[in-house]
Amino acid sequence: MPVTLRIALRDWDYMTPLVLGDVSSSRLDIKVDRVGTLISSLADDAAHDAAEMSFSRYSQMRHDGDDRIVGMPNFIMRGFRHRCIITAKDNPIRTLSDLGGKKIGVTGWRDSGNTWTRAALRREGVGVEDAMWYAGRLTEAHPIVDRLDGFGRPGRIEAVPGERPMVDLLLDGGLDAVFTPFMPKGFFDQESPLRQVLDDFRAAEVAYLNEVGYIPGMHLIGFKADIVREHPWIMDELSELIDESQRLWLEKREKYADTTPWMIDELRRCAADLPPTWRASGLAENEAMIADFAEELYEQKIMPRLLTPAELFPWHAKAR
């Protein structure tokens, strides 16, 4: 009798084979709940056994000794962050170092993606203390919520004045740049008044990859500890299924490469620029990235002490 696993995930395309049942397991009956917003507290959510969650917020739980959730080091959302810094098209800023002394907006201070973006700036000599930061909603369509999460500091890290949408502030000069994981509506239009700060962000990201050896991870899957204790094999089983779903989806993408006119060129460039193991799951395979993220959480004063990869993923560390 397979174990039912109720899991909440965003619509990552490579999960399609898993959701459709093209990838399956005789040990698991996976029920995927497609969500647009991450569950705020999996531990208190009766509807799910596992869920996609922020690496930063998971790290906070581990730091606080909250062991109700066990993390699986399969980073289902990972990506470079250089592309996630946008500005007005007529703004003269063209490099990350140009952001020193500038007014920068973020969609959430402690968000994993924004933590990695600040890490990219820090490598270029622009630390938290070298800019003025504002946390707020990206557009009018986004909700007004607390995006400082307790990390506000008057004169350094503040809420956007009047909760104005940050895109509007970019256009009228109230902000010089904004960190956003998802581009605002209309960003890709030919007449868009916005652009990425870096004209060739791909070259910057390839250089970053060659320096650090990984693509940053933002989201992982957390499991309720009770189901892991009852079924110790369940994380490895799901991780293998996700890996297979990714492999199968890439295989289909390579075959049906006309989903966009130049998808085939993108596939070729990815194969040339990325190591075959860039998506690898597991603690050992991601240990350097995990350690660097923990260091950034500490250096950016999101965590009061430096956590180790073994502290963040104790279940997998013990299994080694």
Side-chain angles (χ1 to χ4, degrees):
M1 187 75 175
V3 174
T4 298
L5 180 68
R6 304 164 303 164
I7 183 169
L9 298 172
R10 280 180 169 170
D11 282 342
W12 302 112
D13 60 357
Y14 64 82
M15 291 291 191
T16 302
L18 181 67
V19 173
L20 293 180
D22 295 340
V23 172
S24 62
S25 164
S26 61
R27 306 175 81 184
L28 283 177
D29 178 18
I30 300 173
K31 308 291 187 184
V32 175
D33 183 12
R34 297 163 56 201
V35 297
T37 302
L38 299 186
I39 294 171
S40 59
S41 176
L42 172 61
D44 301 311
D45 184 80
H48 302 98
D49 308 300
E52 178 179 349
M53 64 187 304
S54 156
F55 191 10
S56 174
R57 284 169 172 76
Y58 170 74
S59 299
Q60 184 69 59
M61 294 183 72
R62 297 305 311 170
H63 171 272
D64 295 345
D66 187 343
D67 59 1
R68 294 176 297 167
I69 300 299
V70 179
M72 181 179 79
N74 190 320
F75 293 89
I76 62 172
M77 179 185 180
R78 65 166 84 217
F80 298 112
R81 299 291 90 185
H82 299 70
R83 67 191 63 193
C84 296
I85 311 171
I86 65 173
T87 189
K89 193 167 281 186
D90 59 0
N91 193 301
I93 292 172
R94 293 286 174 179
T95 69
L96 299 191
S97 59
D98 288 341
L99 291 170
K102 297 299 191 290
K103 294 174 289 185
I104 304 173
V106 296
T107 50
W109 184 257
R110 74 175 308 148
D111 292 356
S112 306
N114 289 333
T115 300
W116 280 117
T117 312
R118 288 191 297 269
L121 257 67
R122 202 159 73 88
R123 295 178 71 87
E124 301 299 323
V126 181
V128 171
E129 304 303 320
D130 299 315
M132 182 64 201
W133 304 86
Y134 295 93
R137 55 182 176 154
L138 184 63
T139 70
E140 188 76 38
H142 291 87
I144 296 175
V145 296
D146 175 19
R147 298 173 187 272
L148 289 172
D149 206 9
F151 293 98
R153 282 193 284 139
R156 181 61 62 197
I157 307 168
E158 299 180 354
V160 168
E163 297 291 352
R164 287 189 63 198
M166 292 191 294
V167 164
D168 295 351
L169 289 168
L170 278 179
L171 297 179
D172 69 16
L175 289 174
D176 297 295
V178 166
F179 293 1
T180 175
F182 307 116
M183 296 302 112
K185 187 175 181 179
F187 180 85
F188 299 104
D189 294 349
Q190 291 184 3
E191 301 304 318
S192 172
L194 303 173
R195 63 171 175 83
Q196 269 108 354
V197 162
L198 297 180
D199 293 323
D200 191 354
F201 60 81
R202 187 186 189 112
E205 291 168 351
V206 170
Y208 178 89
L209 171 66
N210 291 336
E211 289 175 15
V212 302
Y214 56 75
I215 298 177
M218 272 73 73
H219 292 177
L220 48 79
I221 292 179
F223 284 74
K224 288 181 176 176
D226 288 345
I227 197 170
V228 174
R229 282 191 288 265
E230 186 176 356
H231 307 287
W233 48 267
I234 198 167
M235 286 193 291
D236 288 344
E237 187 79 5
L238 180 64
S239 188
E240 289 175 7
L241 291 173
I242 291 173
D243 291 347
E244 177 60 15
S245 188
Q246 286 185 318
R247 187 201 64 76
L248 182 58
W249 189 249
L250 178 60
E251 185 178 276
K252 288 181 179 293
R253 186 181 289 168
E254 289 173 342
K255 181 177 181 179
Y256 304 115
D258 293 320
T259 52
T260 63
W262 293 285
M263 175 63 75
I264 195 166
D265 184 57
E266 172 63 13
L267 291 166
R268 178 189 61 80
R269 295 179 71 186
C270 283
D273 292 339
L274 300 176
T277 57
W278 73 267
R279 292 182 300 266
S281 58
L283 177 56
E285 293 81 355
N286 291 281
E287 194 155 11
M289 184 268 288
I290 293 166
D292 283 356
F293 185 69
E295 182 178 358
E296 286 301 327
L297 291 174
Y298 175 70
E299 292 293 339
Q300 296 180 30
K301 296 182 171 55
I302 294 172
M303 294 292 171
R305 71 176 181 87
L306 181 62
L307 298 171
T308 67
E311 287 179 289
L312 289 167
F313 297 97
W315 188 275
H316 295 80
K318 285 188 291 187
R320 291 200 292 188

